[in-house]
């Protein structure tokens, strides 16, 4: 039953229909409602209990209970959402958008000292 | 005349001298001097012959010579009988006795037109042959000086019988000269037998079992051909009163005799059912092979066939010869693919090339004959060069396996270059083979011989395969291979370099060779003006191609002088160990990488093709012979 | 003579553009057949421009020389062809060119490169008879090996040589390195040979090979055209159309078949050569 | 200039990834993401490649392999480390046989985060890498020495100065 | 509901015999697993025939030499090399012995401590 | 050495997305000997059970391999649940089954694509992967991840699929099935593809048993065995018969996998029909103490999980014997006498997942 060029039909159909290729990066990235992008924190809800840090399988989160600092190494996070699941205060959630590639890791710090807003601190990895 | 007499007799005299010489230095002197003498005489004779367009014929009282020949033939018979008895090869004795008695009987009783014929003659063709034999043959003798010294250094197990060896070489040369100059078929037959016996003795040189067996194989096959020759002589003498080659060529309609002679030619040029002997000849020291494969033995066969080619146009003999030739060309070039022993590859390629020449001869028209003769010249020189270089490499590295020639260009650059030239001379456009293929293709199309067209088309593809892979092997460069000291003897170098120069020069002056030599010859043979086979424009293009190849290395160096290179080891999946010769294997150790050519034994293996080809070609011969003989009655 | 030189020059200058564009179009059509957008049709030029600007890693300098030999002989082949010289000579020149390529890739002593060159040789061995038979066919159909002469024929060669043409199309797939016969160096998909004969070539050395392939492809499609043209002007238009159809067909075949193994290739190519090409010339011989 | 921009060829090597990232790298080639529209070809041969896409962390056995592949790429070249594993060993960083991220053995230019990095991220990474390639090419042409080597030399001399 | 299976204690000397018997009865080797325990190792050789699942358990001291069953079940060589390299179990006569280079790790026998 | 070449195949090699290495000894192209070497991806992840809470170890387990990550996560959970003797809610079991079978479809499509790539059929490769993207979208819709899902936990699953989502999936599957039939027929019927698959790498039933091959590899050699007949997840309530072929060559293995795609569609349909409402997880109390084996049928075949706990939150030993590990020795057998061109195909027909083999 072997036939030559059995694939012709599909190939010709493809040739004369529109390609399925996304427009990305010109267009938007495709995400779903449940997409796990990156972890975000509502720092006001956080009580610095360190549970998330303790249960993070990749050790991406550091929580300083005394100085009230919550810090995440974005490039160290494996998007498992374990922290989101364990946080009793529901301070954490998963964004749909994900961290952009970069030459250096992005380590984000929330909380004290004083300023509540986020301060991005791009550290050279070799110095880390 | 004296020149011819010199060429025929002098080698025999030298041979006798050498037989008595036990001293290396004296032998050296004798060989070199006589080689120079023979070459010089042959050059003067042939070139003056060619330039003056002289066609010499000699009529003379030959009674004494005839007597000598009869004695000689009896001597040969005796020799065969004694050795055969010693090794219990009775079949051979039967063959030898049959044909010798046939000839002697004929000479004594059936020789009617004894006095009237020309016994010795020379024309362009003999001149060409004479040049080939002298130049290539003598250089091989010189080469043998150095080679045999090394050979016995490496092979202590064999008895050093060098006097015998050199004697045979020179006898061989003398016989070859005799063969080409003879017009009388009986004389020709006599020399024909000498070459058979000489090759038999040379092949058996080492006296090992295999050598003995192979030598007998060569003997019986050639005797079989000789038998054909003898029958043809008798047949011609009785029925047509023809005893000379010229008479034969001039007369038409002696199909049976032509077939028989062609049959003899096929055996001598080792065409398909009789290829075995030439392959077996490989066991002999390399100069033997070089001699058998290029200047002498097999050339005797194709010489005869080419001589006969005007008689084979479009008849059964022609069909037989061209079919066998074409078939041999294709079949043996396929087998050559599966061989890795360099000498064996060369042997198959000889058979294959001779197949092409044979096919050309069998084509029986001017164009193919033209191609055949040209190919004969190119082949003789290139093949001799190749055999000698393989021999030299073998003496250096202890192996003649092509696989062991990996990266030869780094280890023994000079030898490698010589070998490269030889291989290119064999097949690469614009060299020898190309031209002949071209003419042959055209001629066979014109004569409507489509089977041969196909055979040539396929055969040239397979030929290309085995040569190219050999070529590639030579130039494979791996890091850190070092130049090895080259201890090749000076006499060997002399011969190698002269050959290489000869190959290149021949290629460059090929248009002149063709126009000045071969075209008039063919015109003469066929008594018609041959058409332009390769136009001038095309010849110029070919010369341009050749020049391109020669200039390329220099040109590229200039072209790329500005490029910034970085040397980097070759890719092995990321696990080379340091250089590009090894990698980390599955057990974490170093393992040498090894690259081998393809041999495709399952498809082209000797065992797959050889026997089938034997049956097929025997079939072709038998059927066509039967048809010929049947048709005559 | 002047005309010959002129034609040669036109080929030398124009062929890379045509060849590069063809390869770009090839990639675009291929992409669309696979349902994706694909690169720009000038992609091949971008690639070569990049390669020319990159650092050259070589294993030995012999390699570079041989690659140049390949390019020069391919160009020479094309020049001979478009200058209207002898077709046998063209074929022999092409063979020489490929031999240079084979040696270049073997000379580097690298496993995949060496394997690739052996495969390239097999490919050559398989298509060579058909190439020669095509030349024979042309000679039989038009009475000359001379390309200029063939183009002047009263009746286009294809009329006499339908079988040979079919056979030629078959080996064209081998020659263009298209699936199912992309054994020695695959442009698409991955293969066990890594990049086959080009594995060890980088930067401008590799660019030379790409350029040589452009020349080669133009020349090969030229042979396709040679089957069609006659001394009628409109035959040139038909030849153009046939070339385009052939080109498309090759892309289609490329996209609808798996790479076969060398033995299948050798057997089928030889069988096709023998059956289609052989029978064609036998018949031609009889009716002549 | 801009000779490289339109034709970045990649080679992909799987360090010690879990495959997640590898199949996403492959997914980039397929019709939906089709990186060939940027001229990207997955060559699989270091000598043809401009960008080394490497997934997974470094372990004792693949260390040399990664080094060698990098070394066999012609200048200019860029390394894109795909996935968290390639950044610092990811979830496996505590394993006994993980030495760390790719930067343990070769200089990494771009990190693409994500465990399984999404194809869109990988495309972003490649796009960034292409810009870097251009920069390195200019540097290479001007100074005749590869950017990475120059940086390395500079770092070393800095270190010497410090000490 | 879960699959039922057996764990059978076995003396190391009986291992090869048992393997041969199982092979004769058309069992296949499913896996071999080592666990580090105080006194040495606990090795589990699992075999199966259709849906039947048998586990033979060897409890051995550190210095006991276990004979390879790779002569009986060829596939065993991978498991055995692994146990040898990662746990340091003494296994003798493996038909394809990688001699510690199955996984070329820097730290020998990481599971042994 | 005669006319044999010794060639390193891998670890970096374009047909090998994952590093594996073979020392190949070939004659022309015929393989005389091939000795596999692994370890290029060895991480030692089994070892970190001693450092990670057994609950969080799920995230490590699912990264044993990114292709059937779901199955790894699930099997680990099943093993721990067995040690702790918890019985998870039925709905969770059905959800696991559905995801399992979706993984199988995606994995087999992926494999078909790679196989096509290995025999140089690029467009077929693209077509397979294009189809596979649809499954990945469904994964992302239901779990939030394309390849790593993180939906398993000890005691159940983390995400639910509501009725609407499930029926949407079923509808999409119905559409896909037609396309997949068209696509897979190319594998089964195209001439050139057939030359590459038929009679290549034959493994007889006896050899199969002797070498202990598993999964489609085993079933293609005529051994009717499918771990899904055992009781795990919701399979005890599902009709599933092993797909068997008898030739034992690459074609048979392709055939088996293709049929399994359709079988998976069928299983999902059954599961969606039967799935009960209810909880998706229960709280697992206490710490694991004791040992357990669990066998599951992954796309590549039977995988064995072994867990041994000691009553703390750190396990004593976790071990996974993945299907590839069992299948690799068959390479020794099948590559012999094959051609170099077959090697990638032979490597692929065991559908290797080196990541999980070396862990
Ligand atoms: S888990 Fe709850 S109780 Fe414990 S530290 Fe965090 S907020 Fe406080
Ligand atoms: S998250 Fe890491 S550091 Fe924290 S408890 Fe778990 S393994 Fe330990
Ligand atoms: S998502 Fe997972 S890896 Fe990322 S911070 Fe949360 S627990 Fe850590
Ligand atoms: S678990 Fe929640 S509350 Fe506790 S530190 Fe983390 S984010 Fe803050
Ligand atoms: S980053 Fe995550 S998905 Fe990628 S290789 Fe590592 S564990 Fe696998
Ligand atoms: S971290 Fe994620 S994206 Fe990166 S390699 Fe692993 S699975 Fe792929
Ligand atoms: S076979 Fe392995 S390397 Fe290849 S795509 Fe699958 S997981 Fe990745
Ligand atoms: S080897 Fe098989 S079971 Fe293991 S992760 Fe890969 S696909 Fe899954």
């Amino acid at each position: 039953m072997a036939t030559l060029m059995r694939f012709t039909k599909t190939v010709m159909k493809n040739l004369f229909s529109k390609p399925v290729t996304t427009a990305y990066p010109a267009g938007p990235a495709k995400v779903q409602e449940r997409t796990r992008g990156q972890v975000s924190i509502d720092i006001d809800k956080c009580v610095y209990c360190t549970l998330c840090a303790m249960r993070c399988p990749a050790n991406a989160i550091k929580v300083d209970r005394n100085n009230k600092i919550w810090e995440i190494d974005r490039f160290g996070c494996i998007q498992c959402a374990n922290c989101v699941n364990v946080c009793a205060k529901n301070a954490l959630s998963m964004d749909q958008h994900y961290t952009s590639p970069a030459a250096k890791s992005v380590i984000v710090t929330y909380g004290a000292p004083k300023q509540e807003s986020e301060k991005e601190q791009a550290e050279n990895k070799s110095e880390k | 005349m004296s020149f011819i007499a010199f060429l025929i007799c002098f080698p025999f005299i030298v041979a006798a001298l050498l037989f008595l010489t036990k001293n290396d230095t004296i032998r050296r002197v004798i060989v070199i001097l006589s080689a120079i003498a023979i070459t010089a005489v042959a050059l003067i004779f042939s070139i003056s012959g060619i330039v003056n367009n002289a066609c010499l014929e000699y009529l003379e009282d030959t009674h004494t010579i005839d007597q000598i020949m009869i004695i000689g033939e009896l001597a040969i018979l005796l020799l065969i009988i004694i050795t055969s008895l010693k090794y219990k090869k009775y079949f051979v004795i039967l063959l030898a006795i049959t044909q010798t008695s046939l000839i002697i009987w004929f000479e004594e009783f059936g020789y009617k037109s004894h006095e009237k014929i020309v016994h010795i003659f020379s024309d362009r063709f003999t001149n060409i042959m004479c040049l080939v034999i002298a130049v290539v043959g003598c250089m091989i003798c010189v080469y043998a000086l150095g080679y045999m010294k090394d050979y016995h250094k490496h092979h202590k197990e064999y008895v050093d019988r060098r006097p015998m060896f050199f004697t045979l070489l020179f006898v061989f040369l003398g016989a070859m000269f005799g063969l080409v100059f003879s017009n009388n078929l009986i004389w020709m037959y006599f020399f024909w037998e000498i070459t058979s016996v000489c090759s038999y003795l040379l092949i058996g040189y080492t006296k090992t079992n295999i050598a003995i067996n192979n030598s007998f194989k060569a003997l019986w096959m050639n005797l079989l051909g000789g038998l054909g020759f003898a029958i043809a002589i008798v047949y011609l003498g009785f029925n047509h009163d023809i005893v000379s080659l010229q008479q034969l060529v001039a007369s038409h309609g002696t199909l049976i005799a032509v077939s028989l002679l062609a049959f003899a030619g096929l055996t001598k040029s080792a065409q398909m059912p009789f290829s075995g002997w030439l392959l077996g000849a490989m066991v002999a020291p390399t100069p033997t092979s070089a001699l058998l494969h290029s200047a002498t033995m097999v050339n005797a066969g194709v010489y005869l066939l080419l001589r006969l080619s005007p008689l084979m146009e479009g008849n059964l003999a022609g069909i037989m010869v061209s079919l066998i030739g074409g078939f041999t060309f294709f079949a043996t070039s396929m087998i050559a693919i599966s061989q890795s022993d360099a000498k064996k590859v060369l042997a198959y390629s000889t058979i294959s090339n001779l197949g092409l020449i044979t096919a050309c001869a069998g084509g029986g028209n001017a164009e193919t004959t033209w191609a055949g003769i040209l190919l004969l010249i190119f082949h003789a020189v290139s093949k001799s060069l190749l055999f000698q270089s393989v021999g030299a490499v073998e003496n250096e590295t202890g192996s003649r396996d092509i696989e062991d020639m990996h990266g030869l260009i780094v280890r023994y650059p000079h030898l490698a270059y010589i070998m490269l030239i030889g291989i290119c001379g064999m097949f690469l456009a614009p060299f020898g083979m190309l031209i002949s293929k071209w003419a042959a293709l055209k001629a066979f199309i014109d004569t409507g011989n489509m089977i041969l067209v196909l055979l040539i088309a396929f055969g040239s593809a397979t030929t290309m395969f085995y040569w190219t892979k050999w070529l590639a092997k030579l130039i494979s460069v791996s890091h850190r291979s070092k130049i090895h000291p080259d201890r090749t003897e000076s006499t060997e170098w002399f011969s190698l370099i002269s050959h290489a120069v000869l190959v290149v020069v021949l290629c460059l002056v090929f248009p002149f060779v063709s126009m000045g030599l071969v075209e008039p010859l063919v015109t003469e043979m066929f008594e018609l003006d041959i058409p332009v086979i390769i136009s001038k424009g095309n010849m110029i293009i070919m010369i341009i191609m050749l020049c391109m190849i020669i200039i390329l290395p220099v040109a590229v160096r200039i072209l790329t002088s500005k490029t910034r290179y970085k040397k980097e080891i070759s890719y092995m999946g990321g696990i080379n160990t340091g250089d590009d010769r090894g990698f980390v294997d599955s057990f974490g150790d170093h393992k040498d990488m090894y690259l081998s050519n393809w041999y495709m034994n399952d498809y082209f293996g000797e065992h797959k093709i050889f026997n089938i080809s034997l049956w097929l070609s025997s079939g072709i011969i038998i059927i066509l012979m039967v048809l010929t003989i049947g048709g005559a009655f | 003579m002047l005309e010959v030189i002129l034609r040669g020059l036109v080929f030398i200058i124009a062929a890379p553009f045509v060849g590069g564009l063809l390869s770009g179009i090839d990639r675009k059509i291929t992409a669309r057949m696979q349902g994706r957008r694909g690169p720009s049709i000038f992609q091949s030029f971008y690639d070569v421009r990049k390669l020319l600007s990159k650092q050259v890693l070589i294993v030995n300098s012999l390699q570079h020389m041989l690659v140049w030999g390949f390019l020069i002989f391919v160009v020479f082949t094309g020049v001979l062809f478009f200058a209207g010289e002898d077709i046998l000579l063209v074929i022999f020149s092409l063979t020489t060119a490929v031999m240079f390529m084979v040696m270049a890739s073997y000379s580097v002593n690298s496993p995949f490169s060496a394997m690739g060159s052996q495969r390239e040789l097999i490919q050559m061995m398989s298509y060579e008879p058909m190439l020669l038979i095509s030349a024979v066919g042309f000679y039989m159909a038009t009475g000359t090996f001379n390309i200029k002469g063939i183009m002047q024929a009263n009746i286009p060669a294809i009329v006499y040589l339908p079988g040979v043409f079919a056979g030629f199309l078959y080996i064209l797939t081998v020659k263009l390195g298209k699936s199912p016969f992309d054994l020695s160096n695959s442009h698409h998909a991955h293969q066990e040979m890594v990049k086959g004969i080009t594995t060890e070539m980088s930067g401008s050395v590799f660019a030379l090979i790409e350029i040589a392939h452009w020349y080669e492809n133009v020349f090969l499609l030229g042979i396709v055209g040679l089957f069609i043209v006659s001394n009628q002007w409109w035959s040139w238009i038909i030849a153009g159309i046939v070339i385009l159809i052939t080109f498309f067909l090759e892309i289609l075949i490329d996209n609808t078949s798996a790479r076969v193994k060398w033995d299948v290739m050798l057997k089928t190519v030889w069988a096709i050569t023998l059956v289609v090409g052989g029978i064609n010339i036998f018949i031609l011989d009889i009716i002549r | 200039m801009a000779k490289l921009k339109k034709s970045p060829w990649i080679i992909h090597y799987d360090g010690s990834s879990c495959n997640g990232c590898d199949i996403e790298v492959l997914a980039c080639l397929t019709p939906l993401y089709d990186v060939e529209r940027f001229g990207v070809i997955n060559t699989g041969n270091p000598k043809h490649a401009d960008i080394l896409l490497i997934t997974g962390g470094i372990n004792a056995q693949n260390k040399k392999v990664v080094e060698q592949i990098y070394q066999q790429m012609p200048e200019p070249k860029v390394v894109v480390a795909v996935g968290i594993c390639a950044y610092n060993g990811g979830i496996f960083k505590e394993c006994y046989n993980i030495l760390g991220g790719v930067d343990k053995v070769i200089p990494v230019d771009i990190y693409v985060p994500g465990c399984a990095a999404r194809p869109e991220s990988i495309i972003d990474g490649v796009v960034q890498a292409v810009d870097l390639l251009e920069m390195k090419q200019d540097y290479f042409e001007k100074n005749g020495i590869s950017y990475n080597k120059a940086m390395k030399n500079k770092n070393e001399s800095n270190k010497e100065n410090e000490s | 509901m879960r699959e039922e299976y057996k764990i059978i204690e076995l003396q190391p000397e009986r291992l090869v015999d048992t393997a041969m018997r199982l092979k004769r009865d058309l069992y296949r080797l499913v896996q071999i697993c080592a666990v580090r325990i105080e006194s040495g190792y606990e090795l589990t050789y699992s075999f199966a025939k259709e849906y039947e699942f048998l586990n033979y358990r060897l409890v051995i001291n550190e210095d006991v030499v276990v004979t390879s069953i790779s002569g009986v079940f060829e596939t065993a060589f991978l498991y055995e090399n692994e146990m040898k390299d990662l746990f340091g179990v003494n296994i003798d006569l493996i038909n394809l012995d990688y001699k510690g280079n199955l996984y070329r790790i820097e730290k020998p026998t990481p599971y042994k401590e | 050495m005669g006319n044999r070449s010794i060639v390193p195949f891998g670890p970096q090699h374009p047909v090998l997305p994952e590093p594996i290495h073979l020392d190949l000894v070939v004659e022309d192209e015929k393989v005389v000997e091939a000795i596999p070497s692994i370890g290029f991806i060895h991480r030692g992840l089994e070892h970190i059970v001693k450092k990670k809470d057994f609950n969080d170890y799920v995230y490590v387990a699912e990264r044993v391999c990114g292709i059937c990550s779901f199955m790894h996560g699930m099997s680990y959970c099943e093993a721990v649940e067995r040690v702790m003797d918890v019985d998870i809610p039925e709905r969770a079991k059905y959800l696991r089954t559905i995801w399992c079978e979706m993984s199988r479809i995606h994995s087999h499509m992926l494999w078909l694509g790679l196989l096509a790539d290995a025999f140089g059929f690029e467009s077929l490769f693209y077509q397979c992967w294009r189809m596979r993207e649809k499954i990945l979208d469904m994964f992302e819709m239901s779990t939030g991840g394309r390849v790593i899902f993180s939906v398993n936990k000890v005691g159940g699953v983390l995400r639910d699929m509501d009725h609407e989502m499930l029926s949407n999936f079923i509808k999409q599957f119905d559409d896909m099935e037609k396309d997949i039939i068209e696509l897979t027929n190319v594998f089964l019927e195209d001439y050139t593809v057939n030359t590459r698959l038929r009679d290549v790498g034959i493994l007889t039933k006896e050899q199969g048993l002797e070498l202990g091959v598993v999964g489609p590899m085993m079933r293609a050699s005529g051994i009717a065995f499918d771990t899904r007949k055992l009781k795990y997840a919701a399979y005890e309530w599902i009709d599933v018969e092993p797909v068997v072929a008898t030739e034992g060559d690459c074609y048979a293995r392709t055939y088996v996998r293709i049929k399994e795609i359709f079988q998976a569609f069928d299983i999902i349909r059954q599961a969606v029909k039967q799935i009960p409402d209810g909880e998706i997880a229960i709280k697992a109390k206490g710490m694991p103490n004791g040992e357990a084996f669990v066998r599951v049928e992954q796309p590549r075949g039977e995988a064995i999980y072994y867990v041994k706990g000691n009553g703390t939150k750190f396990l004593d030993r976790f071990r996974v014997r993945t299907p590839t590990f069992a299948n690799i020795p068959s390479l020794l057998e099948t590559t012999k006498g094959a051609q170099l061109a077959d090697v990638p195909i032979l490597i692929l027909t065991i559908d290797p997942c080196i990541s999980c083999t070396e862990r």
Side-chain angles (χ1 to χ4, degrees), chain B residues 330 334 337 406 409 427-429 434 437-438 441-442 445-446 448-451 453-454 456-458 460-462 464-465 468-469 471-473 475-479 537-538 541-542 544-545 548-549 552-553 556-557 559-560 563-573 580-581 593 595-598 600 603-604, chain C residues 55-62 64-66 68-70 72-73 76 80 85-86 88-89 92-93 95-96 99-100 102-104 106-112 114-115 118-119 121-122 124-126 128-129 132-133 136 139-140 145 193-194 199-200 204-205 262-263 266-267 270 273-274 277-278 281-282 285 288:
Chain B
F330 180 48
M334 279 202 289
I337 290 176
H406 193 96
I409 201 155
F427 87 115
L428 193 60
L434 161 73
K437 268 191 319 207
W438 188 329
L441 264 182
K442 205 163 151 181
I445 301 169
D446 289 338
N449 202 338
M450 288 302 136
I451 293 182
V453 170
L454 287 180
I456 291 178
F458 280 93
S460 68
T462 42
M464 182 264 335
F465 186 88
T468 312
K469 68 179 186 173
L471 212 52
K473 198 83 202 171
I475 59 164
S476 181
V477 182
S478 63
H479 275 189
N538 287 338
I541 292 172
M542 279 191 262
I544 294 177
M545 280 164 84
M548 270 161 56
I549 292 179
L552 192 71
V556 169
R557 190 131 304 166
L559 269 174
T560 58
T563 320
R564 251 179 303 186
Y565 293 115
K566 188 175 156 228
K567 284 224 173 177
E568 187 55 67
I569 50 178
S570 57
Y571 167 83
M572 282 184 213
D580 52 7
R581 291 187 301 175
M593 187 205 47
L595 296 174
S596 148
N597 275 337
W598 283 21
M600 302 188 283
Y603 293 85
F604 298 123
Chain C
Q55 185 189 29
V56 185
L57 300 179
I58 53 165
V59 180
N60 60 54
S61 42
L62 203 61
H64 202 170
M65 184 197 97
L66 292 165
W68 267 105
F70 173 54
I72 290 172
F73 269 90
F76 191 70
L80 284 184
E85 291 299 328
D86 193 293
L88 279 175
L89 209 52
F92 294 135
S93 169
T95 312
T96 312
M99 232 122 60
F100 268 102
V102 168
M103 289 194 285
Y106 201 93
S107 77
V108 293
N109 197 41
S110 137
F112 301 106
M115 284 299 201
Q118 299 285 327
R119 282 190 177 189
L121 268 178
I122 299 246
M124 194 155 125
M125 181 162 80
S126 59
E128 181 94 358
L132 279 174
I133 285 174
V136 168
Y139 179 72
M140 293 173 78
F145 279 120
M193 291 276 132
V194 186
T199 304
E200 298 296 337
S204 58
V205 182
W262 69 266
D263 45 353
L266 188 63
K267 277 182 213 156
W270 275 15
T273 305
L274 212 55
I281 60 169
F282 268 107
D285 183 48
R288 224 167 29 146

Side-chain angles (χ1 to χ4, degrees), chain D residues 19, chain F residues 64-68 72 107 298-300 303 322-324 353 356-357:
Chain D
N19 285 340
Chain F
V64 166
C65 165
I67 296 175
C68 47
H72 283 287
S107 172
Q298 288 181 335
R300 282 138 189 83
T322 57
T324 305
C353 215
C356 60
T357 305

Side-chain angles (χ1 to χ4, degrees), chain F residues 29-30 93 103 109 153 250 285:
Chain F
E29 257 198 40
K30 201 165 79 198
K93 287 184 180 173
S103 295
M109 291 305 291
K153 64 179 258 183
C250 289
K285 289 195 193 72

Side-chain angles (χ1 to χ4, degrees), chain B residues 399-541:
Chain B
S399 161
R400 59 179 195 220
D401 197 302
I402 293 178
E403 286 306 317
D404 295 327
M405 294 183 192
H406 193 96
L408 201 70
I409 201 155
V410 180
R411 291 182 291 148
Y412 297 99
H414 303 301
L415 283 177
Y417 284 124
I418 299 254
M419 210 182 257
L420 282 176
I421 292 174
I423 295 178
C424 292
M426 283 308 302
F427 87 115
L428 193 60
F431 299 101
M433 277 276 280
L434 161 73
I435 301 153
S436 348
K437 268 191 319 207
W438 188 329
L441 264 182
K442 205 163 151 181
F444 286 126
I445 301 169
D446 289 338
T447 53
N449 202 338
M450 288 302 136
I451 293 182
L452 272 163
V453 170
L454 287 180
L455 283 174
I456 291 178
F458 280 93
S460 68
T462 42
T463 308
M464 182 264 335
F465 186 88
Y466 67 84
W467 285 125
T468 312
K469 68 179 186 173
W470 186 348
L471 212 52
K473 198 83 202 171
L474 293 180
I475 59 164
S476 181
V477 182
S478 63
H479 275 189
R480 285 218 241 136
S481 319
K482 280 192 214 72
I483 297 193
H484 289 232
D486 201 327
R487 289 152 313 177
T488 309
E489 291 273 332
S490 58
T491 51
E492 292 176 63
W493 273 123
F494 167 75
S495 174
L496 285 170
I497 291 171
S498 333
H499 269 89
V501 171
L502 205 57
V503 170
V504 176
V505 169
L506 264 181
C507 291
L508 281 173
V509 301
F510 138 74
F512 303 107
V513 176
S514 163
M515 282 181 295
L517 255 179
V518 186
E519 281 178 25
L521 163 62
V522 175
T523 313
E524 198 177 280
M525 280 170 74
F526 286 84
E527 292 155 357
L528 49 84
D529 277 334
I530 63 159
V532 181
I533 295 160
I534 296 184
S535 70
K536 256 205 207 91
N538 287 338
M539 289 208 189
I540 293 173
I541 292 172

